[in-house]
Amino acid sequence: MDRFLSSAINRIDSKGRVSVPAHFRAVVQRRGFADLYALRALDVPAMDVGGPDLLDRYEQRIALEDPFLQTADDMSFFVHGDGSFLKLDQDGRITVTDFVREHTGITTQVAFVGRGLFFQMWEPERLRAHGEQVRARLLKLRQRASEARAAHTE
């Protein structure tokens, strides 16, 4: 499997490093990534982390914009200015930098969450609260869809 799936919480060591979960490291290795690209998520206090293909995907989207319009400039500012490369050491650890901590609120533990082609890094309590909100929104959608189907069959 070459997708980031599942979740894990790992403790940050005294040198500010955290072990990337083994199943995530396996995906990184299978996909041949030497570095990880990390981007501050736009709408939540998390880092989106993936290989260079994640950065490529964003840059391809920027290239579709008129370079003389503000949108292209804003997108570049976000993708390049709010992004950073993270280096995995030989033991599969990354350093949790101030860049990461300031956006996420991470202090002593990191919650890793698979998102398919990338993963996210969260402060565990913020992730728990976000997960509750996501499930509540999805439950509402399911209930509305059920109500709409029931109304059409009457």
Side-chain angles (χ1 to χ4, degrees), residues 84-151:
S84 177
F85 282 103
L86 303 176
K87 192 78 166 162
L88 274 171
D89 70 12
Q90 72 249 13
D91 296 319
R93 297 172 300 200
I94 55 175
T95 299
V96 183
T97 63
D98 289 342
F99 177 81
V100 171
R101 291 175 189 263
E102 289 168 6
H103 181 68
T104 62
I106 288 171
T107 55
T108 61
Q109 293 181 312
V110 178
F112 293 87
V113 181
R115 298 293 306 269
L117 296 177
F118 67 99
F119 63 90
Q120 289 183 315
M121 295 171 56
W122 286 78
E123 188 283 324
E125 273 306 303
R126 287 182 173 183
L127 174 62
R128 185 197 56 73
H130 179 71
E132 288 176 5
Q133 293 169 353
V134 167
R135 288 178 192 88
R137 286 192 303 265
L138 290 173
L139 181 58
K140 264 188 199 170
L141 284 173
R142 177 186 278 178
Q143 290 168 338
R144 286 187 199 137
S146 293
E147 291 167 2
R149 281 193 301 274

Side-chain angles (χ1 to χ4, degrees), residues 42-55:
L42 188 59
D43 58 342
V44 292
M47 299 298 295
D48 292 343
V49 182
D53 61 328
L54 183 61
L55 176 58

